[in-house]
Amino acid sequence: MAKWGEGDPRWIVEERADATNVNNWHWTERDATNWSSEKLKELLMGLQVENEEGKCEITEVSKVEGEASINNRKGKLIFFYEWNLKASWSGTSKSGIKYKGNIEVPNLSDENDMDDLDISVSLCKDEPETELFSLMRSEGVQKIRTALASYVDFLKTEFTQGMILPTANGMTKQTAQATTKSNKTQIGSCSTAPPPSNTGVKIPTCKFSLKDTFLTSPDDLYRVFLNQEMVQAFTRSGAVVEPERGGKFRLLDGNVNGEFQELVPEQKIVMKWRFNSWPCEHYATVTLTFTDKGNETELKIDCRAVPENEEERTRDGWQRYYCHAIKQTFGYGARLC
């Protein structure tokens, strides 16, 4: 049974073997160290930030020291990773003056939340003070944090392809449960390889609507769904959000993804939306309608083409891990309609 997690904006997708077939489950381990090293370099190299003072860019990833592995035991993917990273950055002011500095991340680990990462940015010795240093310490650090969150996301989705376990009926199925050793959070991930049984099969779907009210303006609430930093704040995890028509979004360590189809500022957002565990390429259509009610905003959520067996999970998820999380994070609390 699939369900959203309790007490954390993530969810569990459980697969259990029949009690008489417990010995069919095996322990396997995959070393992710080399793959992780290359992925971290790929995500960090060339990362840029820019403002009216000039532009900064990561020019070298000089140290990627550590290890990563994935253990597959009784239907659970258990992720271990620990990295010490060093990089160099350069900045060029609008007047053409160049500056150099260093970046250090000593504690990228499954034991630490992404918000707790120590990301140290410094200027090289004898470099004069510059506003570009402030730019790297603010926007630069945020971009680095987002890139490292993407690494964890890719580790739990892209790298786990092919980690297959036998099930009780003898068929093989991609495991869909992950555990980190720090807080035992279990994160569902779907098989990235399309399951043959879903190909070309029409699945029964349903539709439902929800209403909620928020003590804020339509403009502010509309922005919450499109601003990447705000999405990361209320989901408490890495996110990629491209706030434009046709723009992609990827939330909650890749477990939710989709595409924006229509954006009407302060009024409406229409999106293709899916859990990663749904049949491949199947999307629901979710329409968010924002209505100004004076001192508060009414949000109507229309979900269509939701797989019938996912209705309860999807409804509960939108209520608890979108609406409730947004109210709790930004103080927009109001009575549920």
Side-chain angles (χ1 to χ4, degrees), residues 2 18 52 55 73 89 111 129 152 208 238 287 302 327:
D18 187 273
E52 66 278 0
K55 181 170 72 174
R73 185 173 184 269
W89 64 275
E111 294 185 341
E129 285 294 324
V152 177
F208 63 85
T287 301
D302 291 307
K327 290 179 182 181

Side-chain angles (χ1 to χ4, degrees), residues 179-295:
T179 305
T180 58
K181 64 183 178 181
S182 58
N183 57 13
K184 307 304 181 187
T185 298
Q186 294 177 308
I187 305 171
S189 63
C190 95
S191 170
T192 51
S197 59
N198 289 331
T199 304
V201 177
K202 185 176 180 180
I203 62 172
T205 62
C206 66
K207 62 182 179 180
F208 63 85
S209 296
L210 301 168
K211 284 186 180 180
D212 204 348
T213 50
F214 297 78
L215 296 177
T216 188
S217 67
D219 180 42
D220 286 345
L221 187 58
Y222 176 88
R223 187 164 56 248
V224 167
F225 289 92
L226 298 177
N227 181 287
Q228 182 166 296
E229 292 184 5
M230 297 180 82
V231 171
Q232 289 177 151
F234 79 77
T235 61
R236 302 179 189 177
S237 63
V240 175
V241 180
E242 300 172 353
E244 59 187 8
R245 184 174 181 179
K248 310 292 186 182
F249 59 85
R250 187 179 180 88
L251 320 179
L252 294 162
D253 298 311
N255 287 298
V256 165
N257 61 81
E259 178 181 310
F260 295 114
Q261 295 184 305
E262 184 180 357
L263 298 175
V264 182
E266 303 181 31
Q267 296 180 33
K268 184 168 66 173
I269 296 173
V270 182
M271 66 185 91
K272 291 167 56 180
W273 187 98
R274 62 178 266 114
F275 281 125
N276 206 28
S277 56
W278 285 3
C280 291
E281 297 306 314
H282 181 83
Y283 289 84
T285 298
V286 177
T287 301
L288 307 180
T289 305
F290 305 84
T291 304
D292 192 345
K293 295 291 185 178
N295 293 327

Side-chain angles (χ1 to χ4, degrees), residues 32-79:
T33 301
N34 291 336
W35 177 91
S36 294
S37 178
E38 293 304 313
K39 180 61 70 173
L40 286 164
K41 291 177 182 177
E42 173 190 324
L43 291 169
L44 293 172
M45 273 295 294
L47 186 149
Q48 297 181 359
V49 289
E50 186 173 4
N51 65 8
E52 66 278 0
E53 298 293 335
K55 181 170 72 174
C56 301
E57 179 178 356
I58 295 181
T59 55
E60 180 185 11
V61 181
S62 56
K63 180 180 181 180
V64 182
E65 183 179 88
E67 60 182 349
S69 64
I70 304 174
N71 290 318
N72 194 338
R73 185 173 184 269
K74 292 184 178 180
K76 296 179 183 179
L77 291 183
I78 307 173
F79 295 84

Side-chain angles (χ1 to χ4, degrees), residues 79 81 108 114 147-157 253:
F79 295 84
Y81 55 91
L108 176 60
M114 199 56 60
L148 296 179
S150 295
Y151 155 69
V152 177
D153 181 4
F154 286 127
L155 179 66
K156 294 175 179 179
T157 54
D253 298 311

Side-chain angles (χ1 to χ4, degrees), residues 105-177:
V105 184
N107 64 335
L108 176 60
S109 166
D110 58 274
E111 294 185 341
N112 297 318
D113 290 335
M114 199 56 60
D115 290 340
D116 296 332
L117 278 185
D118 294 326
I119 302 176
S120 173
V121 176
S122 60
L123 275 170
C124 288
K125 188 177 180 181
D126 299 328
E127 289 280 1
E129 285 294 324
T130 170
E131 290 298 320
L132 296 181
F133 181 36
S134 299
L135 175 64
M136 277 300 295
R137 293 179 65 184
S138 55
E139 293 183 31
V141 165
Q142 182 57 46
K143 276 208 169 184
I144 292 167
R145 196 180 305 276
T146 299
L148 296 179
S150 295
Y151 155 69
V152 177
D153 181 4
F154 286 127
L155 179 66
K156 294 175 179 179
T157 54
E158 181 179 300
F159 186 77
T160 56
Q161 294 184 43
M163 295 194 75
I164 308 295
L165 288 176
T167 62
N169 61 9
M171 301 293 289
T172 58
K173 184 181 289 186
Q174 177 77 33
T175 186
Q177 192 175 63

Side-chain angles (χ1 to χ4, degrees), residues 16 232 298:
R16 294 188 175 94
Q232 289 177 151
E298 179 185 271

